[in-house]
Amino acid sequence: MTDELRPGQADMSRLTTTLRIAGASASTVSMQAGYQRQAIWRGSDTAVDGDPRLQVDFSSGSALLYADREQRQQVGERLGSTVRLWSQEYRIHRQWLWPKLLFTVTSGERTVLRVRERFRRGGSARRFDTHSDATLDPVVVLALILLEGRPHKMGLGRGDTNS
């Protein structure tokens, strides 16, 4: 199944997270958009007129996902290890290899995303190697990484020189 997954890399700091997928022309970027909120853009997606595609809101206790338009329509949520997003259900399977983060995401019986932290956060960023299903929207990939990587929990101060 790994052959069906496309490789990529994600760099996460407290304020910005960027996902670059090998072989794809687009990178997907998330930036802090208010208290405990990350707004996600798809760089080459001209259909969104520069507006974010999705907002991940951690401030309510459980993560909520909104289509980041004027109406702020809720399009998903995370409940435990289940994420519902745009009427699709994903399950996050964590394997903690302390101090690194390792997890997979399934949709039904199929693995659609694998993420492994490359090394412990030693400065202002954490780095992840990713393998995602070719049919999975990069915005969804980045949202799933944010939900598990939790940039809103990153502290300020020691080691966070760019935050």
Side-chain angles (χ1 to χ4, degrees):
M1 179 157 253
T2 306
D3 293 339
E4 298 176 23
L5 302 180
R6 57 190 175 177
Q9 291 182 353
D11 295 298
M12 178 182 290
S13 70
R14 186 173 184 274
L15 301 177
T16 306
T17 301
T18 303
L19 170 69
R20 293 177 189 84
I21 298 174
S25 60
S27 65
T28 307
V29 177
S30 167
M31 289 199 199
Q32 196 170 54
Y35 178 68
Q36 293 188 357
R37 291 188 187 128
Q38 295 276 327
I40 303 174
W41 287 262
R42 172 123 180 238
S44 66
D45 191 345
T46 56
V48 296
D49 298 325
D51 291 331
R53 288 268 309 275
L54 188 67
Q55 188 174 102
V56 183
D57 187 345
F58 298 99
S59 63
S60 68
S62 65
L64 301 176
L65 299 119
Y66 295 95
D68 202 357
R69 304 279 185 226
E70 295 172 15
Q71 300 85 6
R72 218 170 111 88
Q73 175 190 4
Q74 185 177 341
V75 294
E77 62 184 335
R78 177 176 183 171
L79 297 169
S81 61
T82 301
V83 177
R84 290 187 189 94
L85 179 57
W86 282 305
S87 62
Q88 181 66 50
E89 192 167 285
Y90 303 97
R91 300 267 307 158
I92 297 175
H93 308 272
R94 288 182 226 85
Q95 294 178 344
W96 293 99
L97 297 178
W98 191 87
K100 296 180 182 178
L101 178 62
L102 171 68
F103 66 96
T104 60
V105 177
T106 57
S107 178
E109 296 296 314
R110 184 171 184 180
T111 298
V112 294
L113 177 63
R114 291 187 176 136
V115 179
R116 177 187 290 271
E117 189 171 0
R118 275 203 266 159
F119 49 81
R120 179 101 173 123
R121 184 182 72 154
S124 60
R126 297 167 71 184
R127 300 195 148 196
F128 301 92
D129 286 329
T130 69
H131 289 84
S132 61
D133 190 294
T135 61
L136 199 61
D137 186 333
V139 170
V140 173
V141 173
L142 186 53
L144 292 167
I145 293 171
L146 291 170
L147 289 174
E148 193 62 16
R150 301 188 300 174
H152 67 292
K153 294 282 189 183
M154 292 182 187
L156 292 169
R158 292 183 298 172
D160 282 338
T161 55
N162 290 348
S163 296

